[in-house]
Amino acid sequence: MIDSHAHITEERLVPQIGRIVSDMESDGLRAVIEVGCDRTTSEQAAELAAENGRIFALVGTHPEFAADYGDAEAETYARLAAMPKVVGIGEIGLDYYYETPPRDIQKKAFVAQLELAHALSMPVALHIRDAYGDLLGILKDNSAYVKDGLLMHCYSGSADFVRELAAFDAYFAFGGAVTFKNAKKRDVIRAVPKDRLLVETDCPYMTPVPFRGKLNEPKYVRHTLAFVADALGMSFEETERLTENNTLTLFPKMKAFLE
């Protein structure tokens, strides 16, 4: 299994990092992608990846911290992106749930990071919450920057919007929230082309059933994978191979370390 989006350097999981890393093989984890949210956490993600064979990293500024994005962040991410196990830019995007920072600031940082990713020939992982309309407009206006792979992290949109994003060859990752009783995401999972489907934990958040209420961690991606397999009418093993292959296709820098 590959957990395509994790935050194991988040303070609640830091005491568990040693165990999480040492148990990855026995937990059935082929790899984990650790994701930065700002300059500090991006540096931590890149360092963790450099020190551990099965861990890779994304670097970028989350929309919550968009007001802090500037030349120093861009320079840092470009430097980190040159490291062998930094495989993309993320998580970046738009989050209108709390409306902070203001939307115009979020949009500016988002577009700047799309441009940076394109300059670095790297895929992007997007955090989008309550902002799908503006997302589509930004992607259309900046389509020249979306040429190296685009992942909808923790996809929460509709089946119809899956089809809208097909124009950008988007990939879609599902996390533990799809296992929740009221999620009703089976039709959305089935709408995603099979060669564009990934799984993730977003740990320590969104712990899947049957561990909801506890801290999430990479090994629990198994439960999301099992739910996705059931929704697709596929075996666990088939879905495991499918999502692994899709992850390696989207993040080709990983292949040298895992194949």
Side-chain angles (χ1 to χ4, degrees):
M1 301 177 293
I2 296 179
D3 179 359
S4 65
H5 196 109
H7 300 282
I8 61 176
T9 57
E10 202 263 13
E11 61 180 359
R12 290 173 294 172
L13 282 180
V14 166
Q16 307 298 325
I17 287 178
R19 175 186 58 79
I20 289 170
V21 171
S22 64
D23 289 353
M24 283 179 64
E25 184 172 4
S26 60
D27 287 335
L29 285 161
R30 190 176 184 192
V32 171
I33 301 178
E34 176 70 3
V35 182
C37 292
D38 58 12
R39 185 160 36 140
T40 298
T41 55
S42 292
E43 289 173 334
Q44 291 171 345
E47 181 180 354
L48 186 68
E51 295 173 348
N52 297 278
R54 292 175 182 260
I55 296 181
F56 299 84
L58 301 182
V59 296
T61 294
H62 185 287
E64 181 181 350
F65 306 108
D68 299 326
Y69 185 79
D71 291 345
E73 282 66 34
E75 291 169 6
T76 296
Y77 301 154
R79 173 178 56 81
L80 295 175
M83 298 173 67
K85 296 182 72 191
V86 174
V87 299
I89 301 298
E91 59 186 289
I92 66 175
L94 304 169
D95 192 323
Y96 292 171
Y97 185 75
Y98 293 112
E99 297 282 358
T100 53
R103 295 183 181 190
D104 61 331
I105 292 176
Q106 293 190 40
K107 291 176 183 178
K108 183 179 178 180
F110 181 26
V111 172
Q113 290 181 94
L114 288 176
E115 185 174 3
L116 174 65
H118 178 62
L120 297 169
S121 299
M122 302 196 88
V124 293
L126 306 190
H127 171 108
I128 305 297
R129 190 178 187 190
D130 294 348
Y132 285 98
D134 278 359
L135 167 67
L136 198 59
I138 286 173
L139 292 180
K140 288 178 178 178
D141 291 345
N142 297 277
S143 59
Y145 299 150
V146 189
K147 301 293 186 182
D148 301 291
L150 182 153
L151 173 63
M152 300 298 296
H153 142 65
C154 194
Y155 183 63
S156 60
S158 67
D160 288 339
F161 207 79
V162 169
R163 291 180 273 274
E164 293 269 13
L165 289 168
F168 305 99
D169 294 326
Y171 289 72
F172 301 82
F174 293 96
V178 298
T179 70
F180 298 171
K181 184 177 180 180
N182 296 322
K184 298 179 180 178
K185 288 294 182 182
R186 289 178 178 268
D187 64 322
V188 180
I189 293 169
R190 289 191 285 264
V192 173
K194 287 188 172 65
D195 64 349
R196 293 291 186 270
L197 182 66
L198 282 71
V199 290
E200 62 170 87
T201 59
D202 198 22
C203 65
Y205 316 104
M206 293 195 309
T207 312
V209 174
F211 295 100
R212 191 175 183 185
K214 298 182 179 181
L215 277 184
N216 201 2
E217 56 182 88
K219 67 181 180 181
Y220 293 149
V221 75
R222 173 178 300 276
H223 301 284
T224 300
L225 188 59
F227 184 91
V228 169
D230 184 69
L232 295 176
M234 296 171 58
S235 72
F236 181 92
E237 292 75 19
E238 288 175 317
T239 312
E240 180 180 42
R241 287 192 297 272
L242 174 71
T243 54
E244 283 187 6
N245 290 338
N246 293 347
T247 305
L248 297 181
T249 300
L250 176 61
F251 299 112
K253 286 179 73 175
M254 297 176 68
K255 292 181 180 180
F257 297 91
L258 297 177
E259 291 188 338

